Amino acid sequence: MRVPDWLIYSSVLGALLVASLAHRENADAPAAPAAPDDVEGALLGPVTPFDPAVTVNAPDIPFQPSTGTAFSIARSGRWVTARHVVEGCRRPAIMVGGGRAVAADVRLAARADIAVLETAGGPPALPIAPPGTLRAGQRGFHPGFPQARAGEVTSRLLGRETLNIRGRGERSEPVLVWAEVGRTDGLGGTLAGLSGAPVMDRQGRVVGVTIAESPRRGRIYTTAPDTFLPAMRGVQKADEPLTSRAVTIDNYFLVADNLRRDLRVARVVCLSV
């Protein structure tokens, strides 16, 4: 029986089509990221002499033992906290659970409210957000130990200011200003103890260190990239194994609980000599 010509031609065309598709270059891109929130604005620009300023008075009194928050920045045992939490403390330590603490050495940043603590090994590190990614109105998440107990806050980025410290440790530094929009249920009053906590973006990356609050205005102040990124230079290596988790207003308390349980976010204390 003679095979119809149309069947032969169809078979040949089909074979040619399969061969061409098999050798086609595949350069597909991954799915696009989620759209930003409607309230997010333009990228935050660099520091300028025209930024608003806020003044904080630091009493010139002897060091008083305090408690704060720290977060892991390198698995080799490098932690970041606020400078004022440990400045003047002779034996700072990281709480590791069960009433136990690990003593840490301290390196203070020269021109920022940042300190790096060093221990013999530590938990996995939190990733640092690359420069130039901050947008006005973006969400921030602050996991830590306000009032020396587990808690967290979420905020919105308002912009930049210059923080002028008067009195002990007098200095000026650029800071980011955030409006508090949520916190742990039942957590009222001051956020003292949250100093040193990371402020994370929606990708779970650290964009700065929580350093102060203005309760009456509902404002939270964190370090700016202009001081934070230089202080981290050489602390977190390029080959540091990093993991992060997307953070939302629906899960930020769960993310914070996991970070504290894994000791990636831990409480800082000053041990008695």
Side-chain angles (χ1 to χ4, degrees), residues 175-200:
V175 295
L176 300 180
V177 187
W178 307 74
E180 180 187 331
V181 295
R183 60 168 64 188
T184 304
D185 187 31
L187 175 63
T190 178
L191 296 176
L194 196 65
S195 290
V199 52
M200 305 187 306

Side-chain angles (χ1 to χ4, degrees), residues 161-179:
E161 289 186 5
T162 298
L163 186 65
N164 297 316
I165 308 296
R166 297 291 179 258
R168 180 170 57 88
E170 185 166 319
R171 66 183 183 279
S172 296
E173 67 173 285
V175 295
L176 300 180
V177 187
W178 307 74

Side-chain angles (χ1 to χ4, degrees), residues 227-239:
T227 54
F228 177 63
L229 294 177
M232 295 301 97
R233 191 171 295 131
V235 179
Q236 188 174 93
K237 307 297 184 182
D239 60 351

Side-chain angles (χ1 to χ4, degrees), residues 201-217:
D201 62 16
R202 295 189 305 165
Q203 287 73 47
R205 305 172 303 185
V206 179
V207 299
V209 184
T210 306
I211 58 175
E213 67 168 329
S214 177
R216 289 188 178 182
R217 300 177 62 201

